[in-house]
Structures are given as structure tokens and as C-alpha cells.
Amino acid sequence: MKLVRAEYQELAKYMEHLRPTRQCMKMLKEKFSSQSQSTLLSIFSQEYQKRIKRSHARHHTAEAIENYYQRYLSEVKKNLTAPVILELANEVDFSPSLMARMVLERYLQELEGTPHENQLRAKGYDKTPDIILEVPIGHVVHWIESKASFGDEYSHRSYLHDQFWSYWNRFGPGLVIYWHGFIEELDCHRERGILLKDCFPLDIVTLCHSSSQS
């Protein structure tokens, strides 16, 4: 489907303050009924990515990360089941997945030996989880993958094939966090070493690193 520049600019202008929700797509389809849903979705995805890139530096200052992290902790204490990550991301107009990752990495800074994905890539690893734990935690977990989505059968099967089993082969057992929940029956690989949760574990116990004791 072709659009003249004026049509595209009208679409982009309308999308400036929309959030990536189902209601958003309904509003777009009602407003621009002559455009196909796939076209609207594609344009919105591109415009949203541009918006996130423009504000990326502002959200990744030390002050901003600490503020988001402390607010996350405060809101979770009030209501453990509230969609805190999503609400916080919407409030500051930021990607929920990137907000979840920032909170997770900030939390793991308080634990020893937690290189994140960018550091691992710098070391030469091509496919890596979000976090590698050089000192395993809890249920003998060596890595953590954060997914700001719901774990349905299709997506989880794809992730297992494309990512999780690769991590398991390279790093050992790990934890996958689906921040928006998952189908309970999918958590069936615990014995083999892939655990699923819908929030970050509160009962973390770190093991002593042998090199730190020498």
C-alpha cells in the first residue's frame, strides 16, 4: 500500500503519544480506516522505535536508573501482583522491555559477579542471555533471561529452540522471567535446568566464589 508524504506525516503525528497497546491499534484503525492493520502496525512500530532511541540516553543516566529501581521496589512492596514495570514504563514513555532490563540489571549490581549482555558480547560470546551469574544463585542458576512478554506455547517453544537450550549448553542451568506471566504447564524443564518465573525471586542466596576466598 502506497502513502503520499502528507498521509504518512499525519499518521506519524497522531502516533506520537500512543502507547504500544491493543487499544492503540484499535484507535489507529478507527482513525485511519482506509489503511490496513498491517500497514498501521508497521508504521507504528517504526515510529515507536524512533521515539525510544531519541529518549534512550535520558533514561539511562545513573540518576534515572536509580529512580526507576527505587520506585519499582516501593510499588512492588505495596502490591506484589501489580504490573509495576508496565505502569512505570508508560508513565515515563519508555519501552517496558527495556525498563524491565534496567531494573533487573540494577538489582543484580548488588550481587557479586554479574556481567551483563554487552560485556559478554565484548568477550566474544555471540548469543547470550541478559545476565550471566559467575556465582550461581538459589536453584543453581547460572544465567537469567528477561522477557517483557507473556510466555505462550508458540513463543516459548521458539525461545527454547533459538535461545534457551543454547544458553543451557554453554552456561548450564538458568532462569527465564516472563514479566507478564506464562502458561504454567510450560515450566516443565526444571529437572533439566530451565526454570520459569513471572517476577524476580525474592529468596536469592548467593554461593561463595572460590577465588574470593583464596
Side-chain angles (χ1 to χ4, degrees):
M1 178 177 291
K2 296 181 179 180
L3 298 178
V4 299
R5 183 176 289 110
E7 290 176 320
Y8 177 83
Q9 291 174 341
E10 182 184 3
L11 275 166
K13 182 69 175 178
Y14 185 79
M15 293 174 178
E16 283 182 356
H17 303 292
L18 294 182
R19 303 283 189 266
T21 63
R22 293 179 180 176
Q23 290 77 14
C24 154
M25 292 310 303
K26 182 179 179 181
M27 292 169 60
L28 284 172
K29 189 59 181 174
E30 291 177 351
K31 176 72 174 178
F32 304 98
S33 57
S34 62
Q35 308 299 333
S36 70
Q37 184 164 324
S38 61
T39 297
L40 293 173
L41 179 59
S42 179
I43 295 175
F44 176 76
S45 297
Q46 292 174 326
E47 292 301 312
Y48 185 71
Q49 289 175 21
K50 293 176 187 176
R51 189 197 314 173
I52 296 303
K53 288 179 180 178
R54 287 195 297 267
S55 64
H56 187 273
R58 172 167 55 88
H59 292 294
H60 279 75
T61 65
E63 294 79 7
I65 292 174
E66 187 63 24
N67 177 54
Y68 298 153
Y69 178 62
Q70 294 302 327
R71 289 190 57 187
Y72 170 79
L73 294 180
S74 176
E75 294 302 319
V76 166
K77 287 180 180 178
K78 295 177 185 177
N79 186 352
L80 189 60
T81 62
V84 178
I85 293 289
L86 182 60
E87 292 175 352
L88 182 56
N90 284 340
E91 179 183 329
V92 299
D93 195 20
F94 196 53
S95 163
S97 61
L98 294 179
M99 179 65 72
R101 179 170 180 170
M102 282 198 301
V103 169
L104 177 60
E105 290 185 349
R106 172 59 184 84
Y107 180 86
L108 290 175
Q109 285 178 3
E110 299 177 3
L111 304 176
E112 293 183 356
T114 55
H116 57 66
E117 187 174 12
N118 291 336
Q119 292 171 321
L120 290 164
R121 292 189 185 279
K123 292 180 179 181
Y125 292 111
D126 55 348
K127 184 177 290 188
T128 65
D130 293 324
I131 299 293
I132 290 290
L133 301 177
E134 293 177 351
V135 180
I137 61 175
H139 198 280
V140 190
V141 171
H142 291 270
W143 54 267
I144 297 174
E145 178 72 11
S146 174
K147 297 295 184 186
S149 60
F150 181 85
D152 59 26
E153 291 184 281
Y154 176 80
S155 61
H156 184 65
R157 184 167 59 250
S158 298
Y159 288 139
L160 280 170
H161 180 269
D162 297 336
Q163 294 179 282
F164 303 158
W165 288 125
S166 175
Y167 303 161
W168 181 84
N169 284 327
R170 175 171 288 182
F171 304 112
L175 168 67
V176 178
I177 303 176
Y178 284 110
W179 292 94
H180 297 296
F182 57 90
I183 298 173
E184 186 175 356
E185 287 81 359
L186 297 179
D187 191 15
C188 58
H189 297 293
R190 285 177 169 253
E191 293 301 318
R192 296 187 62 184
I194 296 181
L195 289 70
L196 304 186
K197 292 194 64 82
D198 60 359
C199 62
F200 200 82
L202 301 178
D203 54 347
I204 290 179
V205 177
T206 60
L207 304 180
C208 294
H209 200 296
S210 59
S211 63
S212 65
Q213 295 177 333
S214 59

